[in-house]
Amino acid sequence: MKKHLWWIALVLVGLGVGGVFGLRAWRSHVRQQADDRSFRRAEQALKESRAIEALGLFQAADRTGSPHPWPAIEVAALTRLGQLARLVSIHEKSPSRILENEEAALLVARVYLHTRQREKLASITQGRKSSSPAWGMLEADVMMLEGKGNEARKILNGLNSKDITERALR
């Protein structure tokens, strides 16, 4: 009789331990699936120009341990929404997050240009190709603000005329 009680107790302990580990594995799997689903929805929202929805998904997501690049979703959404103050704040805390997104880097660089923060502007423009039309126009704007109109004109002359026309229209 005692032998049966030991076996029953051992089986119950085994089931309890197995249940705990099984529950943890199941919860982890469900969280991973929810994270995957939320990330795909956020990416799709950005592709469909629904930046507010993507930002909401970013804010609602439990990003701890996520393999997805959630910070890139936040930066892309804020860029599309034109949230300059938040982009500058992110750049000051984590510059690499902004520098990875070309459009966000240009927006933040323009903020630094117009607020005359030369050191911060230099940290963004360092290593960027001035042959790129957008960066070339930014460089020309820097030259203009420094009173170097001739150098700015040279930069603009080296750019594609279509890019300059588009900028003039903006």
Side-chain angles (χ1 to χ4, degrees):
M1 185 71 168
K2 283 188 174 185
K3 201 173 192 182
H4 283 263
L5 287 175
W6 277 104
W7 278 108
I8 291 172
L10 186 62
V11 167
L12 288 176
V13 168
L15 287 174
V17 169
V20 168
F21 286 114
L23 182 63
R24 283 187 179 186
W26 173 77
R27 281 186 66 188
S28 175
H29 176 70
V30 167
R31 281 185 179 178
Q32 183 63 42
Q33 283 185 330
D35 181 56
D36 291 345
R37 206 171 24 256
S38 292
F39 187 78
R40 283 194 307 272
R41 284 181 53 208
E43 280 186 320
Q44 190 62 34
L46 283 173
K47 287 178 187 172
E48 295 173 0
S49 298
R50 298 186 325 245
I52 292 174
E53 182 182 337
L55 189 58
L57 288 165
F58 166 80
Q59 291 169 339
D62 177 16
R63 299 178 302 278
T64 54
S66 175
H68 300 294
W70 278 106
I73 294 288
E74 179 188 26
V75 169
L78 291 173
T79 300
R80 296 211 178 121
L81 292 171
Q83 296 286 323
L84 300 178
R86 288 176 69 182
L87 289 170
V88 168
S89 175
I90 290 171
H91 179 261
E92 289 175 355
K93 293 174 188 165
S94 178
S96 63
R97 287 181 56 196
I98 297 297
L99 297 177
E100 291 169 358
N101 182 314
E102 188 88 2
E103 194 176 341
L106 275 165
L107 284 174
V108 173
R110 289 219 167 268
V111 168
Y112 290 149
L113 172 69
H114 293 291
T115 56
R116 309 248 193 256
Q117 297 181 44
R118 299 285 187 223
E119 300 83 29
K120 291 181 180 180
L121 175 62
S123 73
I124 292 179
T125 58
Q126 182 178 353
R128 300 282 181 172
K129 290 183 178 180
S130 62
S131 61
S132 161
W135 289 104
M137 286 183 246
L138 177 71
E139 188 177 346
D141 287 345
V142 169
M143 295 297 168
M144 289 296 291
L145 287 175
E146 291 176 351
K148 300 176 182 175
N150 289 336
E151 290 180 38
R153 189 170 289 117
K154 287 178 186 175
I155 292 169
L156 292 174
N157 285 337
L159 297 175
N160 183 346
S161 61
K162 178 184 172 200
D163 297 321
I164 297 170
T165 304
E166 287 176 7
R167 177 160 188 249
L169 290 174
R170 280 188 267 143

